[in-house]
Amino acid sequence: MAKRGGSEVFRITGARQGLADDVRGRQRRYVISMTVRTLSVIAAAVLWNVERHVAIVALALGILLPYVAVVIANAGRETAPSLPSTFVPAPVRPALGAGENSAGGDAERPYGRN
C-alpha cells in the first residue's frame, strides 16, 4: 500500500464524515424533532377536552422536545473508535550493516582475491 515517492499511507475507511454532510444530518434531526414537537402540541390542544391524560403527555413531550432537539443538534462531530487508525506507517526497510554488501562480503576482498 506504500506509495513509491512518499512514506505516509492513509486508509479511507477511517475517514470522518464530511462537514457539510454532518451539518445536514444534524439539521435534519432538528427539523424532525421540531415537527414531532409541533404535532404533539396540536394533539394536546385537540385532546384536552376528550382525553386529558393523553393531552398532558403530549404537552409534556411538546415542552421537553425543544431542549432535547437543541442538545442533539449541537452535539459535536462523532468519532468512530471502532474503525482502524487512519494512518498506516510505512514499512521499515532493514539497513545494511557496516561492511556488508549484497555481493556476499566482497567489499573486504578487493578484486576477488583470496
Side-chain angles (χ1 to χ4, degrees), residues 40-41 43-44 48 51-64:
S40 67
V41 169
W48 190 257
E51 189 66 39
R52 191 159 293 194
H53 293 93
V54 177
I56 291 173
V57 170
L59 188 61
L61 186 65
I63 291 172
L64 292 177

Side-chain angles (χ1 to χ4, degrees), residues 28-90:
R28 186 179 320 122
R29 287 190 299 269
Y30 182 78
V31 167
I32 290 170
S33 297
M34 288 297 103
T35 303
V36 170
R37 183 234 181 184
T38 302
L39 292 175
S40 67
V41 169
I42 291 171
V46 170
L47 295 175
W48 190 257
N49 290 329
V50 178
E51 189 66 39
R52 191 159 293 194
H53 293 93
V54 177
I56 291 173
V57 170
L59 188 61
L61 186 65
I63 291 172
L64 292 177
L65 262 177
Y67 172 75
V68 173
V70 168
V71 169
I72 290 172
N74 288 334
R77 295 185 73 183
E78 299 170 0
T79 58
S82 64
L83 292 176
S85 173
T86 57
F87 177 72
V88 177

